[in-house]
Amino acid sequence: MTAERPAPPVAPRRPAKLVAHGDERVDEWYWLRDKDDPEVISHLGAENDHTREALAHTAAAQELIFEEMRGRILETDMSVPATKGRWSYYSRTVERLQYPISCRRRVADGPDGEEQVLLDQNELAEGHDYFAVVNHSVSPDASLLAYATDCDGSERYTLHVRDLATGHDLADEVPGTYYGLAWAADNRTVFYTKVDEATRPHQLWRHVVGTPAADDVLVFQEDDDHFFLGVHETLSERYILLGLESKVTSEVHYLSTDDPNGKFQVVQPREQGVEYEVDHHAGAGGERFFIVTNAGGAENFKLVEAPVATPGSDHWTEVVPHRPDVRLDGIEVFVGHMVLYEKTGGLRRIAIRRVSDGDTYVIDQPEPVYTVYPETNLEFDTRTFRYGYSSLVTPRSVYDYDLEGRSSRLLKRQPVLGGYEPEEYETQRLWAIAPDGVKVPMSVVHRRGLVLDGSAPTLLYGYGSYESSVDPSFSAFRLSLLERGFVFAIAHVRGGGEMGRHWYDDGKILHKKNTFSDFIACSQHLVAEGYTAPERLAIRGGSAGGLLMGAVTNIAPELFKAVVAVVPFVDVLTTILDESLPLTVMEWEEWGNPKADPEIYRYIKSYSPYDNVEALPYPAMLVLGGLNDPRVSYWEPAKWVQRLRERSTSANTVLLKTEMGGGHMGPSGRYDAWREEALITTFVLDALGLPLPGSSS
C-alpha cells in the first residue's frame, strides 16, 4: 500500500496462558477469548477504528466501487413465482430496502392478481443492526406462516406463527430454536429443533399453534455429541423426517404427517461409517422410500428403495448402482420422475430418471464449465421441474424443465445492468499438478483475449473442507475486478467434493495438508502459465477457507501479495481441543481428535495457522470476524492478527474488522453486504498497487 499508514492499536498485555496437551504451547493472546471483558470489546473497537483509518485513503474509492456494484443490480426485482395449490409464491426486493418481502397471489387471478404480503422483513428488522429469517414455511392449508428470526447473528432463532388471513402474528413465540421446521397435516402442529450449550442441534420439539411454548413437548433428544439433529417434510407431504448426522454416519426416523402425536420410526439404525438420506414416493406402485447411501462400500453412493412398512437395509433393492466416476449427491422425487444430482469430472449435473421404467438421461448444458442447482419445487404431483443454471460468465438463470417433453424453458436470467456483455469474457477449466502428482481442477474467468505474459492481476479463491463444492457461478460484484483486467479463479482443492468422495477423504484428518499443497500448486500454475505473477496475486477464503488462507501464507508467503480471510478458522488446535465450544466434538470426524490421538495432535499442530506464525514476510491481509459468530469464534481472527503483526518481517498491513452486531454470515442487509464487498475489492486493488477509482494515477 502506498499511503502512509497509522500505527495499529497496541493491545493490552495479560499473562500468557499455558495450553498443554502432551507438550507445551504458550498462548500470549488467550485473554481475548473473554467476550464479557470490557477491555476485549474496547480492543476490537480500536481495531475497527484502526482499519477505518488505515483505509481512509480508499474511502472515496470504496464508495465509488459500492455505487458501481449497486449500479449492476436491479434493486427492485422479483423472484420467479412458484406454485403450490391455489397460490403462487414469490419474494421481491425494493430499491433502498435491505431485506426481501415474501408475497403470494392466487393462481386463478393470474400474474396481475392482488398481491398478499406474507412477511416484510424490512419492518421486522427496524431497530436491529443484524436481522435474519429462517424456517419460512406455510402450513399445508396455506392459512398460517411459521418463521424464525435472529437479531444478533448468534443463529439462535425465535419461532413465530402468523395468521395469513389477518396478517398478524399470533401469541405463539418460541425462543431458542434452530434451523429446521416441519408442519403436520393438521395445520396446527409444528416440529422444530433446539440446540445445546455447544450450539449443537440435539432436540426435536412439538408445538401446537395457540398453546404456550411452555406446553411444548420434547419428542426426541440425541445425546451423542457427534450427531446433529434436523427435521423436514418430504415433498409428498406424507412424512416428517428426523435426520441424525455425524460427519460419517446417518440415521433417519420417519413419522406420518397424519399422526403428529405418534412415535417416530427408524429407517435403518446407525452404523458407523454408513451414511444415507431418504425421500418418499407414492404412486401407482404403492409407497416406498428412495434412499441414497454409501452402504456396502459404495464410496460415491448409490440409490436403493425400500417399502415404507419395512424400510431397513434387509429390504433395500438397488435402483442406481455405485459408479466409481460419478458421485450421487442427492435426489428429488416427484410422482412420475426423480431428479438425480451428480458430480463427475469436477462438474455438477442433473439426470432425470422415470420412476416407472428407470429410463435415465442427463440434461445437456450449454457451457463446458458451469453449475446447476435445484430451484423452488413445491409440488409433488407435477411434470415440471425447476432448476437453476449459472457459470462464471452467465448470470443465474431459472429454467422450467418438462419432464415428459424433455425440454427446458428459460423463465428468468438475473439482469446485470450497466452494459454487461458475456461475450466479452471467457471461462475455462485448468488443471494444476499437486506435489503428489494429482491433477487439481481450477475454474477460471477473465476478459476475452487475455495475453498470457504474467501481467494480469489475479484473485484466487479456495475452500476445501466438509466435502463442500465451490461451483463456478456468476457474481455481478466480481465484474468490478474483471473489468479492471483481473483473472478470477477457483481452486477446487481436495477436502471439497468436486471430484467425488475420495476427493474429500484425501483432504481431511491426516490428509488435510493436501488441501494446502493443492492450493499452492494452483497458484504456481497460474504463475507458470503466464496468467499472473506473485506480486499481482491476491487470495481469498472464508471460514474453513480462512484456515486455508492462514496455512498457505505460513507455507509460501512470498507467493501472494494480498490475502482476504473472512471469519477464518485459524486457531484450529485450541478449538478442536475444547469440547465446550460449538461444533468441536462433531468436528473430530473432519479434523481428527487431538485429545485421543497424539498423532492427530501433532499433525494439527503442524499446520494450525495460529500455531505456525513465524518470522516471515507476510503479505498484506484483511481479516474479517463476527463478534457473535457461533461457528468460528471472534477471538480466532483477533488473536491471529496480533501474532501476525508481532512476528511478520514485512511492512505489509494486517487489518482486522469485526462485525460487532453480527455472526458468521457477515452483514445481514443486502446494502451492508455490498459495502463489505466494496471494501474487500478496494483493499485488493490497493494492496496490489493498482489505481483506485477516482484517483488521478
Side-chain angles (χ1 to χ4, degrees):
M1 297 190 180
T2 56
E4 185 176 344
R5 299 184 297 269
V10 179
R13 280 291 183 181
R14 300 277 185 87
K17 170 82 172 182
L18 182 65
V19 184
H21 183 85
D23 66 354
E24 294 186 353
R25 290 186 304 126
V26 175
D27 188 351
E28 69 274 29
W29 299 109
Y30 195 86
W31 68 274
L32 286 172
R33 291 168 56 112
D34 187 359
K35 187 177 176 180
D36 296 326
D37 185 341
E39 206 163 16
V40 170
I41 301 302
S42 176
H43 169 69
L44 296 176
E47 286 284 0
N48 284 348
D49 291 341
H50 169 65
T51 296
R52 190 162 40 251
E53 292 169 9
L55 297 178
H57 66 287
T58 73
Q62 287 181 47
E63 188 64 27
L64 289 170
I65 291 285
F66 168 75
E67 291 298 337
E68 188 177 288
M69 291 176 170
R70 179 180 173 184
R72 297 191 183 99
I73 305 297
L74 184 61
E75 296 177 66
T76 299
D77 199 5
M78 188 178 86
S79 68
V80 178
T83 298
K84 183 178 182 182
R86 298 178 295 112
W87 295 95
S88 181
Y89 294 89
Y90 59 95
S91 67
R92 56 182 177 85
T93 54
V94 177
E95 185 175 355
R96 302 191 181 280
L97 295 184
Q98 292 265 30
Y99 299 97
I101 302 167
S102 301
C103 309
R104 70 180 181 184
R105 287 189 174 97
R106 293 184 185 275
V107 173
D109 295 340
D112 297 323
E114 182 181 358
E115 176 182 88
Q116 180 184 8
V117 173
L118 306 184
L119 197 71
D120 186 340
Q121 293 188 32
N122 300 284
E123 294 178 355
L124 298 173
E126 287 184 8
H128 300 291
D129 293 333
Y130 180 95
F131 183 77
V133 168
V134 299
N135 300 339
H136 185 284
S137 181
V138 176
S139 62
D141 68 357
S143 66
L144 299 173
L145 170 69
Y147 69 98
T149 58
D150 170 19
C151 296
D152 62 9
S154 65
E155 298 182 61
R156 300 203 179 201
Y157 295 88
T158 299
L159 175 64
H160 308 270
V161 178
R162 175 162 293 190
D163 183 341
L164 295 181
T166 66
H168 299 302
D169 285 351
L170 303 176
D172 304 68
E173 190 171 286
V174 185
T177 70
Y178 201 60
Y179 302 99
L181 181 138
W183 282 97
D186 64 2
N187 302 293
R188 297 183 65 246
T189 306
V190 176
F191 292 87
Y192 63 89
T193 66
K194 282 196 169 187
V195 298
D196 61 14
E197 292 182 356
T199 320
R200 177 182 69 95
H202 73 307
Q203 292 178 334
L204 181 69
W205 287 78
R206 185 175 66 231
H207 174 75
V208 177
V209 175
T211 66
D215 293 343
D216 289 359
V217 176
L218 175 61
V219 175
F220 190 97
Q221 179 166 311
E222 175 55 58
D223 292 324
D224 188 332
D225 290 341
H226 292 86
F227 285 81
F228 273 28
L229 181 153
V231 65
H232 71 277
E233 304 160 42
T234 61
L235 186 61
S236 67
E237 297 187 313
R238 295 291 299 275
Y239 290 95
I240 295 168
L241 299 181
L242 164 62
L244 303 164
E245 294 186 355
S246 77
K247 293 295 182 186
V248 298
T249 305
S250 306
E251 183 176 280
V252 178
H253 298 237
Y254 64 103
L255 177 70
S256 170
T257 55
D258 291 327
D259 186 21
N261 295 318
K263 183 179 180 181
F264 279 84
Q265 303 295 316
V266 68
V267 172
Q268 168 63 23
R270 69 188 66 171
E271 178 183 343
Q272 181 67 16
V274 175
E275 301 169 62
Y276 70 94
E277 61 182 58
V278 176
D279 207 341
H280 172 254
H281 182 265
E287 282 195 295
R288 54 185 157 172
F289 287 134
F290 284 110
I291 302 166
V292 177
T293 181
N294 68 344
E299 179 189 54
N300 273 336
F301 291 72
K302 62 185 178 182
L303 180 65
V304 301
E305 66 174 60
V308 170
T310 55
S313 60
D314 290 345
H315 302 278
W316 289 0
T317 301
E318 189 171 86
V319 177
V320 177
H322 171 261
R323 295 160 291 175
D325 59 340
V326 179
R327 168 70 158 96
L328 180 57
D329 258 352
I331 61 173
E332 202 163 358
V333 179
F334 301 93
V335 166
H337 298 79
M338 72 172 68
V339 176
L340 310 178
Y341 297 104
E342 301 176 337
K343 278 283 177 62
T344 184
L347 294 172
R348 195 179 203 200
R349 72 185 189 189
I350 295 173
I352 305 297
R353 180 183 177 89
R354 192 158 51 218
V355 173
S356 62
D357 60 9
D359 181 48
T360 304
Y361 58 92
V362 174
I363 300 178
D364 291 332
Q365 304 298 345
E367 296 174 280
V369 182
Y370 65 91
T371 186
V372 286
Y373 44 90
E375 274 287 344
T376 305
N377 292 282
L378 301 179
E379 294 192 318
F380 177 63
D381 190 357
T382 181
R383 59 176 284 167
T384 301
F385 162 66
R386 182 166 292 176
Y387 71 92
Y389 174 92
S390 182
S391 76
L392 291 174
V393 298
T394 302
R396 291 181 175 269
S397 310
V398 179
Y399 287 89
D400 266 357
Y401 187 79
D402 186 331
L403 293 165
E404 293 291 345
R406 301 190 178 189
S407 61
S408 295
R409 180 167 62 97
L410 177 64
L411 302 179
K412 179 177 181 177
R413 179 155 289 154
Q414 191 63 40
V416 182
L417 308 183
Y420 170 67
E421 297 292 343
E423 297 77 14
E424 295 179 1
Y425 300 88
E426 57 182 315
T427 181
Q428 58 187 307
R429 174 60 54 85
L430 302 180
W431 297 86
I433 306 299
D436 60 359
V438 170
K439 295 175 67 177
V440 183
M442 274 188 291
S443 298
V444 179
V445 62
H446 51 74
R447 274 196 178 277
R448 191 169 295 279
L450 179 75
V451 177
L452 298 180
D453 60 359
S455 64
T458 297
L459 178 61
L460 178 63
Y461 183 88
Y463 188 75
S465 292
Y466 304 110
E467 204 177 3
S468 178
S469 298
V470 183
D471 294 319
S473 61
F474 184 81
S475 169
F477 305 130
R478 194 180 298 138
L479 292 175
S480 290
L481 293 175
L482 296 180
E483 287 182 349
R484 290 174 170 83
F486 267 75
V487 173
F488 174 80
I490 303 169
H492 302 291
V493 296
R494 279 175 283 185
E498 289 89 343
M499 299 288 287
R501 172 50 67 93
H502 77 92
W503 200 249
Y504 169 51
D505 289 338
D506 289 348
K508 64 183 290 193
I509 308 182
L510 290 173
H511 303 291
K512 187 61 202 170
K513 290 182 183 178
N514 286 333
T515 305
F516 316 140
S517 57
D518 284 359
F519 190 87
I520 290 172
C522 289
S523 305
Q524 293 170 333
H525 185 81
L526 290 171
V527 172
E529 294 298 311
Y531 284 87
T532 192
E535 63 269 20
R536 287 179 280 279
L537 178 57
I539 59 176
R540 177 177 178 176
S543 196
L547 158 64
L548 174 61
M549 297 299 100
V552 299
T553 50
N554 282 335
I555 297 168
E558 72 287 347
L559 191 53
F560 315 109
K561 183 66 173 178
V563 179
V564 178
V566 182
V567 291
F569 177 39
V570 285
D571 195 8
V572 183
L573 189 55
T574 301
T575 293
I576 295 299
L577 284 168
D578 189 346
E579 296 179 48
S580 69
L581 292 174
L583 309 178
T584 289
V585 174
M586 187 180 186
E587 296 283 280
W588 287 343
E589 292 179 337
E590 175 78 20
W591 312 99
N593 182 356
K595 298 189 74 169
D597 188 333
E599 183 183 12
I600 294 290
Y601 178 91
R602 290 190 295 270
Y603 190 78
I604 294 177
K605 184 182 178 184
S606 72
Y607 71 73
S608 175
Y610 182 66
D611 289 292
N612 289 279
V613 174
E614 298 178 8
L616 295 168
Y618 286 97
M621 290 184 160
L622 175 62
V623 182
L624 307 178
L627 183 63
N628 300 321
D629 190 340
R631 300 171 186 248
V632 176
S633 299
Y634 73 89
W635 44 261
E636 295 204 35
K639 289 167 50 180
W640 184 47
V641 163
Q642 294 301 312
R643 188 170 278 186
L644 282 166
R645 286 207 193 114
E646 287 203 336
R647 299 186 184 181
S648 178
T649 61
S650 77
N652 292 319
T653 300
V654 179
L655 301 174
L656 173 67
K657 179 179 178 290
T658 303
E659 193 73 26
M660 302 302 284
H664 195 69
M665 309 304 176
S668 58
R670 58 176 181 156
Y671 291 97
D672 294 337
W674 300 350
R675 286 196 178 279
E676 185 168 279
E677 281 299 315
L679 168 69
I680 291 170
T681 298
T682 308
F683 169 81
V684 169
L685 292 173
D686 193 43
L688 297 187
L690 299 172
L692 297 178
S695 66
S696 56
S697 57

